[in-house]
Amino acid sequence: MDTIVQAKRVLEIFKEMSQIPRGSGNEKGISDYIVNFAHNLGLEATQDSEFNVVIKKPATPGYENRPTVILQGHIDMVCVKGHDSNHDFEKDPIANIIEGEWMHADDTTLGADNGMGGAMILAVLEDKNQQHGPLQVLFTTNEETGMDGAAAIQEGQVTGDYLINLDTEVEHEFCVSCAGGCHVHVSIPLLRENNLPGYDAGLSITVQGLKGGHSGIEIIEQRANANQVLARVLYDLQKQYSINIASFAGGVKHNAIPSKAVVTLSARSEDVEAIKTLLKYYEKQYQHEFGVKDPGLTLVVEDIATPEVVYADDTSEALISYLYIAEDGVHSMSQTIENLVETSNNLAIVAETNHTIDILVSVRSSNENSLEYLTKKLLLLADTLGVSAVRTGGYPAWGYDKGSKLEEQAISLYNSMSATPAKVCAVHAGLECGLLKKVLPNTEMISFGPTIVSPHTNMERVHLPSVERVYVYFKALLEKLQ
């Protein structure tokens, strides 16, 4: 785009990053790239056992007495593709397709979350004309799967007066607080038995066409959860027809609202046509329920080979009951910040292992007491149904430090540069600032970034004029911070 002038190098670096597979847990390649990038600039760079990278750059002449600023972002990305995509996230580069003012990938996540923020940081480090105080850069890993990289940062590994996180996804919004959260792992014993005589037909039912999306950012949309929709369908279906479940799977990421779930089952051949008719009726009912938020919802029914082995009744009952009864979506709204989800959960993944069916539930809240309440409800439901559940992966909320010097300067500068006023906000998603506050308790923090739409889905795209504006502002802020 002709309008991308100052951020041209940002897009070039992002394209280089897009050539390197960097799904969560597979960050060594991108971590090595960043270390080499820094070394080529003559900068000190260290890499820890989690492949986090710390880079230090001295102040430009005349700026030695300015506050030390930590620039921070994560280098992993969510790997989600369309149902018909053959993309291999372990080896294939991510396409950078520009259409008008937007960049997107080829039916996969783009990785602008948080690659575009990382590219901005690297471009600033490379810019010989950029004026700034002492800089420390922290690139973290495994943010999308539990913020493991940030959790591994030790006291003294980075130090600074201010921290700028570049992982917010709406231009003009400045995040100063985020939710904490945890996971609930439900484990249902997987008992199997031979398919019974008379159940001589096989069917698969797929809930698909849902938007999905980030389970923190877009949970407020109240979109359909494919796992729960399918459980509701099965609960009603088995009240009218004899069926036996053979498999159930749905969801791919703990922080993505499931957009697809599929079950296979056995049924009596004389019931198949009636079952298909009933499922068409259910489809219309769910399309009516979710028609505004998920207009593409469909139930796809296909004939398959008759399963030889199916779930035992106890397994099926526990699975359907948990998914049917468990809360999903918004649990409560903030009483202090308008239009902010306070507490929510996401029935994220249902998957079989050799001996269990596991349900992963992601729980978020900016209120510790509310987080405890919802988490305990989910654990209690499992206990009531006679299956096991454990709580794991807790991460803290990032509390609001109202009136900080960093916030004051960042907002004032932004409002002087932009026709659209800055909006100070909290976010329901987890940000690494909450974890980093544990080792940087006296560091003032703020988060901002360019506009990214539909992160964590194959429809992810980034607004390029926003990248240009945010980068220009980012550079000005580094020069002006006192």
Side-chain angles (χ1 to χ4, degrees), residues 91-107:
K91 64 180 183 181
D92 295 339
I94 301 293
N96 290 182
I97 301 169
I98 296 177
E99 292 186 359
E101 296 186 341
W102 296 88
M103 177 188 289
H104 62 88
D106 183 13
D107 201 23

Side-chain angles (χ1 to χ4, degrees), residues 34 38 43-45 53-57 125 135-137 139:
I34 290 170
L43 301 177
E44 175 188 344
V53 178
V54 174
I55 304 169
K56 296 181 180 180
K57 185 177 183 181
L125 292 180
L135 294 180
Q136 295 193 19
V137 174
F139 286 111

Side-chain angles (χ1 to χ4, degrees), residues 307-367:
E308 296 181 1
V309 178
V310 296
Y311 294 173
D313 288 346
D314 287 349
T315 297
S316 296
E317 182 177 350
L319 173 64
I320 295 173
S321 296
Y322 194 91
L323 293 174
Y324 192 99
I325 299 172
E327 291 197 44
D328 179 78
V330 176
H331 175 73
S332 61
M333 299 294 291
S334 172
Q335 298 182 33
T336 57
I337 302 176
E338 188 176 0
N339 295 323
L340 174 68
V341 176
E342 178 187 78
T343 307
S344 75
N345 76 295
N346 176 38
L347 297 173
I349 303 172
V350 180
E352 292 182 7
T353 69
N354 289 334
H355 303 291
T356 60
I357 300 176
D358 294 337
I359 303 172
L360 175 61
V361 189
S362 176
V363 190
R364 304 175 189 266
S365 183
S366 53
N367 183 300

Side-chain angles (χ1 to χ4, degrees), residues 442-463:
N442 298 316
T443 300
E444 297 179 7
M445 302 182 178
I446 201 164
S447 178
F448 59 86
T451 295
I452 300 171
V453 177
S454 299
H456 298 195
T457 78
N458 59 314
M459 297 180 288
E460 179 187 0
R461 62 192 190 276
V462 61
H463 190 228

